[in-house]
Amino acid sequence: MSAPAIRVLVVEDDPVAAAAHALYVGRVSGFAVSGTVHSMGDARRHLDRHPVDLLLLDLYLPDGHGLQLVRTLRAAGHGADIIAVTSARDLAKVREGVSLGVVQYVLKPFTFATLRDRLTRYAEFRATAGEASGQDEVDRAIASLRAPWPAALPKGLTAATLTAVTEALRAAQGGLTAAQAAVDVGISRITARRYLEHLVETGRAARAPQYGQVGRPELRYRWSGH
């Protein structure tokens, strides 16, 4: 029997962004959208009526700061976890959020791949249960929430294009050739191949020749990472 879906309340004042965030959440296996609200007051009313495991919380709301909502919820005994969504880079607010139990921060604007990574890590953390056998197990549980420090990309490669190529490859059930990836992302075939080869070199993709066509076989790339 599979575990019940993690119920997420999207709290975002911009209706377009709220709809996009809810769509993203709904695309991640193991998560379900409990509701979408646009203010602190609406969030409190929803939490009073519906069980929620996780808030995807914008920090700048029309009726107050998101961390104020977190304080109110904790005082009322609500134990829902928080992933904060913000365009602000104020590290003092980040520290304040951590002290209130914010488990993740996601900076706007973000891609589906970024949110999927954070949600997947949160699900891994949430799944930990029982008594730890030692320090290593405690460290691993906490580390599951933290994204790895990004390695420097080879010269000429950008994070934005790598994200686009990665998303195209993950979405392709049977894999992609460099030519297909180029069309999907809107870059040249040579450029697409450089990014695909980078994914192979970092262990996130595998490649194999595709036979059955006239001339030299093409390489087909398949996602194999996380």
Side-chain angles (χ1 to χ4, degrees), residues 174-187:
L176 288 173
T177 64
Q180 290 168 332
V183 172
D184 287 350
V185 179
I187 54 180

Side-chain angles (χ1 to χ4, degrees), residues 117-155:
D117 175 74
R118 297 301 189 273
L119 291 177
T120 300
R121 289 178 180 278
Y122 169 74
E124 291 173 2
F125 173 75
R126 185 181 172 86
T128 57
E131 186 170 338
S133 60
Q135 183 67 50
D136 287 350
E137 195 167 338
V138 173
D139 291 343
R140 280 195 300 272
I142 295 172
S144 64
L145 281 173
R146 305 294 171 230
W149 191 263
L153 291 175
K155 186 176 180 179

Side-chain angles (χ1 to χ4, degrees), residues 179-200:
Q180 290 168 332
V183 172
D184 287 350
V185 179
I187 54 180
S188 73
R189 183 185 61 81
I190 293 173
T191 300
R193 183 170 181 178
R194 285 196 65 201
Y195 283 93
L196 291 167
E197 287 294 326
H198 174 71
L199 291 173
V200 171

